[in-house]
Amino acid sequence: MSNDEVGSSVARLDADERLLDRILGFSSESTWLAFGGFAGFLVVWYVAALFQPTYLLPSPVEVLAAFLTELTAPAMLSIPFTGVEIPATRLLVKLIQSLYHYIPGLLIGTTLGIVMGVAMGWNSRVDSVFTPVTRILRPIPPLAWIGFAVIWLGVNHQGATFIVAIGSFWINFYNAYGGVEGVSENLKEVAATLGVDDDITMIRKVIIPAASPSIMTGIRTSIGQCWMIVVAAELIVGVGVGYEILNTAQNLAMDVSVAYMLVISLVFLVSDGLFRRVERRVLEWRA
């Protein structure tokens, strides 16, 4: 093989590697390091579990067996507002039950948080009116509202949705507020010079795009944080992945409990990966 052919082959390999990096979102080197780190974690976990009973520390093999059991065990899924039941698996039923309040809570809290953050960050009068209220309410953790959720909304998905929405609201509120406050005055002056002379247009075409990196960070953070809140919020409804984690742990079925922990991790990894693609598309202008 000539030097030119060797050089051409190397160039093609480099191009294929760069294409793979763009598809996966990280470099080949980081991929191998990630696999190595994960394999090391599994080895340490497995060795540590050899010296403990399953109810204290289940091994990766036992957790995988519990995961497969939950994934294949038959169960019936009730469709809300219809009374219809369809066949599914136990793991799928628990996950969908969690999504019934996770998704609405995330959407409601994110929307309200961004709207309030943009409004207060843009308008000093709105900021002055609501700042005392936000400073009083912000230190109160979402789980402290469980009692009110039960009284106001009942022991149902709406109560859990309320708790998730509170957690999502504060994350998105402060990211949107900080992003709007950080918009350069020079940028506003340039926009005004170019004919942007009303607040709505300024917010829509200048402020929100300029604050979008911070806003997107808030949304991405809340996607993960709200799963943490779901685990405790499901004490209200008594169903879902989070409730299953706590319930099985109380019954010392730690292999099942850890299996459902991994379900949350897998769902988060998928949702976070999808959102990263959306985020890159929205923030293409920064490149």
Side-chain angles (χ1 to χ4, degrees):
M1 182 181 292
S2 67
N3 290 335
D4 291 340
E5 291 174 331
V6 171
S8 177
S9 298
V10 171
R12 283 197 300 271
L13 287 173
D14 289 341
D16 292 342
E17 184 174 322
R18 287 194 298 271
L19 177 60
L20 181 63
D21 293 345
R22 287 197 298 270
I23 294 174
L24 296 177
F26 41 76
S27 67
S28 299
E29 181 182 1
S30 66
T31 303
W32 285 110
L33 291 173
F35 278 123
F38 184 66
F41 168 74
L42 290 178
V43 170
V44 172
W45 178 8
Y46 182 81
V47 172
L50 293 176
F51 304 96
Q52 300 291 338
T54 300
Y55 67 86
L56 289 181
L57 181 63
S59 71
V61 175
E62 292 168 327
V63 170
L64 177 61
F67 179 88
L68 293 176
T69 298
E70 296 298 307
L71 184 62
T72 56
M76 298 301 293
L77 174 64
S78 298
I79 306 300
F81 311 115
T82 64
V84 176
E85 291 190 343
I86 59 174
T89 65
R90 191 154 57 213
L91 188 149
L92 183 60
V93 168
K94 300 298 181 184
L95 178 58
I96 293 177
Q97 288 171 342
S98 291
L99 293 176
Y100 283 159
H101 42 261
Y102 170 82
I103 293 177
L106 179 66
L107 293 177
I108 293 170
T110 297
T111 302
L112 294 178
I114 292 174
V115 170
M116 182 63 76
V118 171
M120 290 179 61
W122 170 251
N123 191 298
S124 59
R125 291 184 178 180
V126 176
D127 190 22
S128 298
V129 170
F130 288 101
T131 290
V133 179
T134 58
R135 289 182 177 177
I136 291 172
L137 296 180
R138 178 62 188 96
I140 302 174
L143 301 184
W145 294 95
I146 286 181
F148 289 97
V150 172
I151 295 171
W152 293 343
L153 300 170
V155 183
N156 49 40
H157 287 292
Q158 287 84 352
T161 297
F162 175 73
I163 301 300
V164 174
I166 291 175
S168 178
F169 173 85
W170 290 115
I171 296 170
N172 287 281
F173 167 75
Y174 276 108
N175 275 274
Y177 182 87
V180 173
E181 272 200 325
V183 176
S184 169
E185 290 295 330
N186 293 334
L187 185 61
K188 300 176 188 176
E189 292 173 2
V190 170
T193 302
L194 295 175
V196 179
D197 55 1
D198 63 279
D199 286 355
I200 299 299
T201 305
M202 180 71 78
I203 291 173
R204 185 167 55 88
K205 293 191 174 182
V206 179
I207 301 301
I208 291 181
S212 57
S214 181
I215 292 173
M216 298 300 284
T217 298
I219 298 173
R220 185 179 177 190
T221 303
S222 62
I223 288 174
Q225 288 289 104
C226 284
W227 275 113
M228 300 181 189
I229 298 171
V230 160
V231 174
E234 286 184 346
L235 290 173
I236 297 176
V237 291
V239 296
V241 173
Y243 178 78
E244 204 65 21
I245 291 173
L246 299 175
N247 186 51
T248 53
Q250 290 174 349
N251 291 289
L252 298 182
M254 298 305 297
D255 52 344
V256 181
S257 182
V258 175
Y260 277 103
M261 291 181 190
L262 294 180
V263 171
I264 290 180
S265 297
L266 291 172
V267 173
F268 168 73
L269 288 173
V270 172
S271 58
D272 186 63
L274 293 174
F275 184 78
R276 285 180 64 188
R277 291 179 175 272
V278 175
E279 185 179 29
R280 283 196 296 267
R281 182 69 60 87
V282 171
L283 301 179
E284 276 182 341
W285 57 269
R286 292 196 300 177

